Amino acid sequence: MITAPFNFVPLSEKVFFPDWAENVSHDIPFEDGESGVIDITITAKSPMFIRDHENPGQFCNYNGEYYIPATSVKGMVRNVLEIMSFGKITIDKKTHTKTMSVRDMTNRQKLVGTADGCGFLKQNSNGDWIIVDYGKSRTIEYTNRRNKIIQNGNETINCNFDTAQEKYSENGLYQRISVKSFLKDLKNRNGNVIGTKRVAEIVNRANNAYLILTGGIDNKKNEFVFADSDKQEEPIKDIDEVVEKFKKVYFESDSVDGSFWRDNWDKDIGIPIFYMKKDNTITDIGLSQLFKLAYNYTINEATKQNLEIIERNNKEFIKLDLAETIFGTTAKSLDKKEDYSLKGRVQFSHFRIEEDDNPQEYGEVYTVLGSPNPSFYPEYIEQNCQENGKVLNDSYNTLMDNRAKISGWKRYPLRYGKPNITLAEEGTDSATRFIPLGTYNQDKFNEFSFSGKVRFHNLKKIEIGALISALTFHNNQENFYHNIGMAKSLGLGKVKITVDTTKYQEHFIEYEILMNRELNRSWIETEQIKELFIMAYRELNIDDKLKYLKLDPDKKINKFVDAKNERIKGNYVGRDCLPKVSDMFNIGDNYPKSLLTKEVLEKIKQDIQAKKEQEKFNNELNIVQMELDKKDKDTEDVNLQIIENFIKNYPNYEEIESIKTFIREIESKMEGDKFTKINQQAQKAFDEVKKKKGTGLEKAKKSFIKKWSASKNNKGSEFVLDLVKKVEKLK
């Protein structure tokens, strides 16, 4: 099982877009709009820290008086409301729309580029990208493995660095050496030959190869050479798409060696690269024999929410969700050429420490606040994670897969016990120094409170219900807490919000009814709301599972790698994942109940059924309308059965008489169309008879009279019966 101080509220593809969002105004009130002020008390249930903008290590204060900024409270509440109202998830467009890369040795088959060949990437005289192909690469072993040195005659080539940039800075670019190339047997532990590999050795001859240096890894034994004897006559062409992927992985990322080659390569020689082939076509290129691959999908593409589009001033925007409708937004048009600003109708005050409270400082904390990499897919990509913390079918979902979906909204489950903060050693990279507020009397926390207000203007009753629901976890403020500020991962910032909700019961109910209708199921029983609530439960007792995986390069400890390929005493036991909090803790009967009575639920059930029936009616009416639109076209295209079924099913429809009139008109027209076709056919046959002469005429007359005298053919047409008489007189 993977452990982490955070977890995720699963993402719902369904997003709720309020149909009144486009009508929000600060000047024109809603018919049911309300304005008012809500008094709020925030009580600390653990030490907390909110950074002061002038003294970053101190708790936020003004002239020594502690306070919580309005923006901190607003952000906390808005995030909860986004989740509770099935809103859009907010992601960092600057980073999460970019192509990410991966080189994961725990899955070499899919997540590592294993080179099939090597060469120099360059542009030809036409500006087209090509690879000067050197075939399969050759390795050259370190003369001194411990110090990672290659001895080239009297010259010592020092490769004891972590990056190719450092190696080239030490030894120079495009170094030419003299080598002897040959095949070397590969042997297993028993000494049996299991294959061969292409190698090179330094010899005292004319220089005949390029020395290629790559980044350092543990237990690395060699570098590479591109030997002149391996150079192919024809370069590899038509690789523009592959080069674009290469640029995204190495040139547009934080790759040290990628940035180095982007800025330092010789245009005549090119960039030394290794390539991978599939079906004789280059698919990927990189800067080492085992190189990074570009993911097929970005985090943005893995968000996978059903977003609806609306047009404003000839620009397309994504519709506003409930949080944006209430709190405001500056939305970008899809082509990013225009903004659509909506001012919020909710304002929070600063929250000042209450006069009678005098909280003491926790003491200075000097620690590393972890910032996990979202590329760690066992956590950040939704997995088929079982309750035991193992991946179902032993297979991870990654951004290589079109089914990949992000895990959802990141949240910090509440800590049950006293924070156990591990202090960092002085001088530790990325360590942060700060002084939280709040102390303990043995294991009992000395509580203190802040008070403030939230003012709202022209909110609909449903919106007020949503706002109060987010503040109080749907009127469950005694048992469910928020967390705020910095160091939530350490258990800091647990707070209780107190609001007098006595006059907002109808608002709660209106909001819950709305969400039930939108989701077509019980909103409070959805997976998303359950995970959100359980993570906020004050008695949540899973502190032992809220720890970062250990990473200590000096001691060669990397639990992030171990989790993906866990072994216990040499036996493989499966790949780990991060279970949902609901799989780790059973809240039981303490889970909040719906605020809706049986009568209300029955009405909702009826409303939902009525909504389904209305949708069915609308669909059938649309189909009927399509048939009605054929009135002026060929009547053969009209399906009268569809229209007749509609009349039978919906006899009380207000426009039913006009539909019946249409049927009568169509039937009459069909009757007329029927004679028209019969008359045309008979006239054509009559014209043919007139062309006949002699015995042929007599034979044609008999055939015509026999056919068109029959009522089944003439259908009673006076025109046809008149033709029969004319045929009898023909000579």
Side-chain angles (χ1 to χ4, degrees):
M1 173 189 295
I2 289 176
T3 62
F6 54 84
N7 212 287
F8 297 89
V9 175
L11 200 62
S12 169
E13 292 184 10
K14 164 72 177 178
V15 176
F16 168 51
F17 298 104
D19 55 16
W20 65 87
E22 293 300 307
N23 300 321
V24 170
S25 171
H26 286 263
D27 302 319
I28 304 173
F30 286 117
E31 185 176 349
D32 60 342
E34 299 179 27
S35 300
V37 179
I38 303 171
D39 292 311
I40 298 175
T41 300
I42 300 177
T43 302
K45 295 290 185 177
S46 75
M48 60 190 302
F49 182 76
I50 297 174
R51 189 190 300 273
D52 185 77
H53 66 283
E54 290 186 354
N55 301 293
Q58 302 292 321
F59 193 95
C60 195
N61 72 92
Y62 178 72
N63 290 338
E65 182 181 11
Y66 299 119
Y67 74 97
I68 302 175
T71 52
S72 296
V73 181
K74 179 181 177 181
M76 174 186 71
V77 176
R78 179 169 182 158
N79 180 249
V80 173
L81 194 147
E82 285 174 341
I83 298 171
M84 292 180 71
S85 62
F86 283 63
K88 296 181 289 191
I89 191 168
T90 302
I91 64 171
D92 186 347
K93 295 291 185 182
K94 289 184 179 179
T95 58
H96 294 162
T97 55
K98 292 183 178 179
T99 300
M100 297 173 63
S101 61
V102 60
R103 179 171 61 182
D104 191 333
M105 297 301 180
T106 65
N107 190 346
R108 291 196 181 193
Q109 185 176 2
K110 292 183 178 180
L111 302 181
V112 178
T114 304
D116 298 307
C118 63
F120 287 101
L121 174 68
K122 59 181 290 188
Q123 288 178 295
N124 62 18
S125 57
N126 295 324
D128 300 322
W129 288 100
I130 62 171
I131 294 175
V132 180
D133 189 11
Y134 277 72
K136 291 186 179 294
S137 63
R138 295 185 183 273
T139 60
I140 181 167
E141 293 188 356
Y142 296 135
T143 311
N144 183 326
R145 285 188 184 178
R146 172 173 297 196
N147 296 321
K148 296 185 179 179
I149 287 173
I150 297 174
Q151 198 65 40
N152 182 26
N154 295 327
E155 181 185 8
T156 298
I157 301 171
N158 183 7
C159 301
N160 196 13
F161 299 96
D162 291 332
T163 66
Q165 176 187 17
E166 293 172 303
K167 294 179 183 181
Y168 282 117
S169 297
E170 175 74 12
N171 302 290
L173 288 173
Y174 303 107
Q175 187 168 4
R176 296 281 289 175
I177 59 175
S178 175
V179 299
K180 175 178 68 174
S181 302
F182 58 95
L183 295 178
K184 182 179 179 180
D185 289 339
L186 285 173
K187 297 181 180 180
N188 60 18
R189 293 180 179 179
N190 298 323
N192 299 321
V193 176
I194 57 174
T196 60
K197 68 175 181 177
R198 295 159 58 86
V199 299
E201 286 183 353
I202 298 284
V203 294
N204 187 18
R205 299 177 185 169
N207 292 335
N208 61 354
Y210 287 100
L211 176 63
I212 307 300
L213 308 176
T214 61
I217 58 175
D218 290 340
N219 301 318
K220 186 172 183 179
K221 301 175 182 177
N222 54 259
E223 299 293 345
F224 300 90
V225 297
F226 291 1
D228 295 346
S229 59
D230 294 328
K231 183 178 178 181
Q232 307 297 302
E233 291 185 8
E234 293 296 324
I236 300 173
K237 302 176 182 178
D238 301 322
I239 56 170
D240 286 351
E241 290 186 10
V242 179
V243 173
E244 288 306 311
K245 282 201 295 182
F246 170 78
K247 288 180 179 178
K248 289 177 181 178
V249 172
Y250 290 98
F251 290 177
E252 299 174 11
S253 68
D254 57 0
S255 168
V256 174
D257 290 337
S259 299
F260 172 74
W261 279 114
R262 179 191 63 204
D263 301 330
N264 292 282
W265 63 291
D266 185 303
K267 305 303 188 222
D268 293 326
I269 301 175
I271 302 170
I273 54 90
F274 297 78
Y275 62 76
M276 190 164 68
K277 273 186 174 182
K278 185 177 182 180
D279 299 329
N280 292 320
T281 301
I282 301 289
T283 59
D284 295 274
I285 57 180
L287 294 177
S288 60
Q289 190 171 33
L290 297 174
F291 57 84
K292 295 186 220 177
L293 293 174
Y295 273 122
N296 292 331
Y297 301 93
T298 65
I299 289 178
N300 183 52
E301 290 168 330
T303 302
K304 292 186 176 175
Q305 287 187 301
N306 294 328
L307 303 180
E308 298 177 17
I309 308 300
I310 192 169
E311 188 174 291
R312 293 180 63 90
N313 302 323
N314 298 319
K315 297 290 181 181
E316 289 187 332
F317 295 84
I318 297 173
K319 278 188 175 182
L320 302 184
D321 62 18
L322 187 59
E324 291 173 315
T325 304
I326 294 174
F327 287 95
T329 184
T330 301
K332 292 278 188 185
S333 61
L334 298 187
D335 60 9
K336 299 181 181 179
K337 293 181 180 178
E338 189 173 322
D339 292 344
Y340 164 52
S341 297
L342 177 65
K343 184 180 177 182
R345 290 170 289 145
V346 171
Q347 289 80 40
F348 287 83
S349 71
H350 293 320
F351 284 73
R352 299 172 59 182
I353 194 78
E354 294 194 342
E355 291 183 4
D356 296 336
D357 285 348
N358 185 27
Q360 302 301 305
E361 293 179 342
Y362 179 83
E364 185 177 82
V365 172
Y366 181 67
T367 190
V368 176
L369 297 174
S371 181
N373 192 331
S375 64
F376 187 57
Y377 52 82
E379 290 176 340
Y380 284 86
I381 299 299
E382 187 176 86
Q383 306 296 339
N384 297 315
C385 195
Q386 303 174 90
E387 289 186 16
N388 64 357
K390 297 296 179 184
V391 179
L392 184 65
N393 299 328
D394 202 36
S395 177
Y396 284 123
N397 297 324
T398 75
L399 290 173
M400 288 296 185
D401 310 309
N402 60 10
R403 66 179 179 273
K405 181 179 179 182
I406 62 173
S407 294
W409 281 278
K410 187 177 179 181
R411 300 282 298 173
Y412 289 88
L414 296 183
R415 297 297 180 101
Y416 181 75
K418 187 176 179 180
N420 183 15
I421 301 174
T422 302
L423 300 180
E425 296 181 3
E426 286 295 329
T428 301
D429 290 342
S430 303
T432 302
R433 195 182 305 276
F434 58 98
I435 303 175
L437 199 61
T439 56
Y440 286 85
N441 182 5
Q442 295 182 348
D443 287 333
K444 180 176 174 59
F445 182 68
N446 300 313
E447 297 180 1
F448 52 95
S449 299
F450 300 83
S451 58
K453 300 177 184 295
V454 57
R455 294 174 172 83
F456 59 90
H457 169 68
N458 193 27
L459 289 191
K460 296 170 74 69
K461 182 176 286 189
I462 287 171
E463 294 175 311
I464 297 171
L467 176 62
I468 306 293
S469 185
L471 283 164
T472 64
F473 288 97
H474 207 51
N475 207 22
N476 292 279
Q477 54 196 331
E478 294 300 321
N479 289 320
F480 295 86
Y481 297 161
H482 291 266
N483 46 18
I484 193 170
M486 198 171 80
K488 292 188 286 288
S489 62
L490 303 178
L492 274 61
K494 180 166 64 174
V495 297
K496 174 186 175 182
I497 287 186
T498 304
V499 176
D500 182 0
T501 62
T502 52
K503 64 178 181 180
Y504 297 112
Q505 297 307 304
E506 289 185 10
H507 300 73
F508 283 127
I509 290 173
E510 288 283 342
Y511 171 61
E512 188 174 345
I513 288 173
L514 171 72
M515 295 310 298
N516 282 7
R517 285 174 176 165
E518 286 296 323
L519 300 173
N520 266 345
R521 61 187 191 276
S522 173
W523 162 80
I524 204 165
E525 293 294 332
T526 59
E527 181 184 28
Q528 287 74 20
I529 302 303
K530 280 185 177 180
E531 293 302 317
L532 173 67
F533 278 23
I534 293 173
M535 279 190 258
Y537 184 47
R538 72 173 190 174
E539 299 293 330
L540 181 65
N541 191 359
I542 56 169
D543 289 10
D544 59 325
K545 298 179 177 65
L546 300 178
K547 301 174 181 176
Y548 283 115
L549 296 176
K550 192 170 184 180
L551 177 64
D552 190 336
D554 293 336
K555 296 181 180 179
K556 297 185 177 180
I557 297 174
N558 190 335
K559 292 297 182 181
F560 291 92
V561 172
D562 295 344
K564 290 185 281 187
N565 195 15
E566 187 178 354
R567 295 179 183 275
I568 296 180
K569 295 183 179 179
N571 295 318
Y572 176 70
V573 294
R575 292 181 169 85
D576 286 346
C577 53
L578 180 65
K580 297 172 185 173
V581 175
S582 59
D583 289 335
M584 294 186 262
F585 186 85
N586 183 9
I587 197 171
D589 293 337
N590 293 315
Y591 186 76
K593 304 295 189 294
S594 170
L595 300 178
L596 308 182
T597 63
K598 288 184 179 180
E599 291 76 16
V600 172
L601 289 172
E602 181 59 33
K603 185 177 183 305
I604 292 172
K605 184 178 179 181
Q606 293 172 0
D607 289 344
I608 291 174
Q609 183 60 34
K611 183 179 179 182
K612 289 181 179 178
E613 291 176 358
Q614 184 65 42
E615 289 176 352
K616 180 174 179 290
F617 168 79
N618 291 340
N619 289 335
E620 293 187 18
L621 180 60
N622 286 336
I623 294 172
V624 166
Q625 189 61 53
M626 291 171 63
E627 298 301 321
L628 298 181
D629 291 341
K630 297 175 182 176
K631 179 179 179 180
D632 298 326
K633 299 178 181 178
D634 195 335
T635 55
E636 284 190 349
D637 292 337
V638 179
N639 190 328
L640 286 179
Q641 189 63 51
I642 289 177
I643 304 175
E644 289 170 354
N645 288 342
F646 182 84
I647 293 173
K648 180 180 178 181
N649 293 334
Y650 304 103
N652 297 322
Y653 174 52
E654 56 186 9
E655 300 292 335
I656 204 72
E657 288 303 321
S658 64
I659 294 177
K660 289 179 180 179
T661 300
F662 171 83
I663 285 186
R664 289 193 292 268
E665 292 175 354
I666 285 294
E667 288 175 338
S668 176
K669 191 167 186 275
M670 283 182 170
E671 189 70 19
D673 289 349
K674 176 183 69 175
F675 282 124
T676 298
K677 290 188 177 180
I678 291 172
N679 293 347
Q680 288 174 347
Q681 292 172 358
Q683 179 67 53
K684 185 177 180 181
F686 176 77
D687 293 341
E688 291 296 321
V689 173
K690 286 178 25 178
K691 295 177 182 178
K692 305 293 184 182
K693 295 181 179 180
T695 57
L697 174 61
E698 291 302 318
K699 186 176 180 181
K701 284 170 61 177
K702 289 180 181 179
S703 176
F704 182 92
I705 293 169
K706 181 179 180 181
K707 177 177 180 180
W708 293 106
S709 295
S711 59
K712 68 176 183 179
N713 292 325
N714 63 48
K715 304 293 184 182
S717 169
E718 293 293 335
F719 178 80
V720 175
L721 292 174
D722 187 57
L723 287 179
V724 171
K725 293 177 181 179
K726 289 181 179 180
V727 166
E728 291 175 343
K729 297 177 180 179
L730 289 175
K731 294 181 180 181

